[in-house]
Amino acid sequence: MKKTMKAAVLHKIGDKLRIEQVPVPEPRRGDVLIKVTACGVCHSDLHAIDGDWSPLPNLPLIPGHEAAGHIVGLGEGVSDLKVGDAVGVPWMYSACGQCEFCFAGMETICKAGEASGYTKPGGYAEYMVADAAFVARLPKNADFYQLAPILCAGVTTYRGLKRTNARPGQWVAVVGIGGLGHIAVQYAKAMGYRVAAVDVADEKLRLAKKLGAELAVNGREKNAPQVLQDKIGGVHGAIVTAVAPQAFEQAIAMLRPAGTVCYIGLPGGDKDAIRASISAITNWELSVRGSNVGTRLDLAEAVAFATNGLVTARIKKVPLEQVNAIFDQMRAGKILGRMVLKLA
C-alpha cells in the first residue's frame, strides 16, 4: 500500500482548505523528497486560494512556499545533496536556465518558471517534492520555524531593497509593517540603511521602531509623504509591502529627487491598479520598479543574514488544522509578524 501523508488541499477556488490524507509524492529525476517540519503562511497563498491572479493555480492544490525540513529521498541524477540535509523551498520552484532572463541573472521572470504551492504542490503537507537545483541550503542545526519566513518574506524584501539602488547611509522607507515589512526593516538596518516605517497601525509601528526604524509614521493620522519630505527631505528608496493601492501611490510621493520605489506587495483582484503623477515622475527623474521574489543567489544571501542573527522573523507556530482560521485573520489584517504551520 502506498504511503500517505496529511496535507491541506484546495479543490475549488474560494473554498476552504481541506485537511486530507493524500499519497506521499515520489521524487523524479533532479528532485528531492523533503519531510516538512515548518511552512510559513504567506499572503500570496491567500491570493492563490481566492483566485486573485491569472492564470489560476493548478487544482487540486497544496499551497505553501516557505517550507523547511530535511531531505528523505533523492531522485535520479541528484549528486550535490544527500539524505538528511536541511533545505528550504521558496516560491521559485524552478526556471528553465536557458532563456535570456536566466542568462542575465533574472531567473525570477523566466517565462517557463514554476511556482511552489501554485503550479506545483507546496509545503502545507508532511512531505513535498522540490527541484534540487532550486532549494535553499540551510545549516544543519537550523531552526526551521524561524527560517521558513525568510524563504519568501525574507528573500523578497531583501531583493526589493537592493533594487531601490539605495546605498548604505541613505534613507529607505518600508511601507507596510506586516509579515514582509517587519522583516524588511531588519534587512534594511543590517544593510546599512536609515529606515523610515509607514503603516496605519500603531502596534506595527512600535514593532518597527523596536526593530531599528528611526522614523515611524502613521499614514492614517498624518500625511506620510509630507512628513517624510519635511523631516528628511524624502527617502532615497522605498519598498511597498502593503496591499492597499493608496500605499503604492503615496510611496512615489515619499521619494526625494532621483529616488526609486520598488513594489513588492500584491493587492490582487480589481484593486490591482494605481494612479501616479507622470509629471512628478518625469520632472524629478523618479523610478518605479517591480520586484518578484528572488534569485537563488538572493536566497542564499538572505538566508545568510538570518543565520548570522541579523534578521529574525517574529513568528507564531500553529497546527496545520488552523490554516483556514489564519486566512480569516489575514483577510482582517489582524496578524502581526508571520504565522508558521507545524507539520512535524
Side-chain angles (χ1 to χ4, degrees):
M1 181 179 293
K2 192 168 185 178
K3 188 176 180 182
T4 63
M5 65 179 183
K6 181 169 64 175
V9 185
L10 178 71
H11 290 275
K12 182 180 178 182
I13 294 297
D15 278 2
K16 292 184 179 297
L17 299 183
R18 300 183 201 169
I19 307 300
E20 301 176 352
Q21 287 291 321
V22 300
V24 173
E26 296 182 2
R28 296 182 295 183
R29 182 174 181 83
D31 290 341
V32 291
L33 176 65
I34 302 165
K35 182 174 176 59
V36 180
T37 297
C39 188
V41 181
C42 180
H43 208 280
S44 296
D45 300 332
L46 182 58
H47 284 307
I49 290 165
D50 288 347
D52 289 333
W53 298 337
S54 179
L56 294 172
N58 294 333
L59 297 178
L61 175 71
I62 299 175
H65 55 274
E66 291 182 349
H70 291 101
I71 293 176
V72 294
L74 302 174
E76 184 181 351
V78 177
S79 59
D80 59 338
L81 290 167
K82 63 183 183 300
V83 170
D85 282 352
V87 294
V89 183
W91 170 268
M92 188 172 64
Y93 181 94
S94 66
C96 77
Q98 300 297 320
C99 67
E100 61 177 297
F101 305 112
C102 289
F103 284 151
M106 298 288 288
E107 59 192 13
T108 53
I109 54 174
C110 172
K111 292 183 178 181
E114 300 276 8
S116 306
Y118 201 85
T119 64
K120 295 287 189 179
Y124 289 11
E126 293 176 307
Y127 295 87
M128 72 176 297
V129 162
D131 189 317
F134 287 83
V135 297
R137 274 65 168 175
L138 304 181
K140 184 177 181 180
N141 60 346
D143 183 332
F144 291 142
Y145 295 98
Q146 282 292 338
L147 286 179
I150 301 302
L151 301 169
C152 180
V155 66
T156 301
T157 55
Y158 172 65
R159 177 179 170 83
L161 286 164
K162 290 201 296 183
R163 284 174 62 76
T164 67
N165 293 326
R167 298 190 302 274
Q170 294 183 332
W171 281 97
V172 297
V174 178
V175 185
I177 312 299
L180 276 75
H182 89 283
I183 293 176
V185 169
Q186 297 177 69
Y187 273 107
K189 192 71 175 176
M191 294 163 73
Y193 303 136
R194 304 183 71 181
V195 185
V198 180
D199 202 284
V200 295
D202 286 335
E203 183 182 15
K204 294 181 179 181
L205 291 171
R206 286 193 292 270
L207 176 60
K209 291 280 282 187
K210 184 178 180 180
L211 295 175
E214 294 183 54
L215 287 178
V217 184
N218 189 318
R220 179 170 286 147
E221 299 174 357
K222 299 178 180 179
N223 183 324
Q226 193 61 54
V227 170
L228 295 184
Q229 293 294 344
D230 291 345
K231 287 195 171 185
I232 58 175
V235 295
H236 300 82
I239 62 169
V240 185
T241 68
V243 294
Q246 186 179 15
F248 294 84
E249 295 171 355
Q250 289 188 344
I252 299 174
M254 296 176 190
L255 299 174
R256 64 177 61 196
T260 299
V261 60
C262 193
Y263 289 171
I264 294 175
L266 298 171
D270 59 2
K271 299 179 181 179
D272 198 21
I274 64 167
R275 297 186 63 179
S277 169
I278 296 172
S279 60
I281 293 171
T282 302
N283 290 340
W284 298 113
E285 296 193 358
L286 307 178
S287 297
V288 179
R289 310 184 76 177
S291 188
N292 179 22
V293 295
T295 65
R296 284 172 283 184
L297 179 58
D298 294 324
L299 183 60
E301 293 172 352
V303 168
F305 271 95
T307 55
N308 286 331
L310 297 173
V311 176
T312 303
R314 177 169 177 164
I315 66 167
K316 181 179 180 180
K317 303 176 187 178
V318 290
L320 179 64
E321 288 77 8
Q322 293 183 16
V323 65
N324 289 308
I326 294 172
F327 287 130
D328 289 339
Q329 294 176 50
M330 191 176 285
R331 291 185 180 97
K334 294 182 178 180
I335 294 177
L336 184 63
R338 205 72 164 177
M339 309 295 274
V340 181
L341 300 174
K342 297 187 292 184
L343 277 306

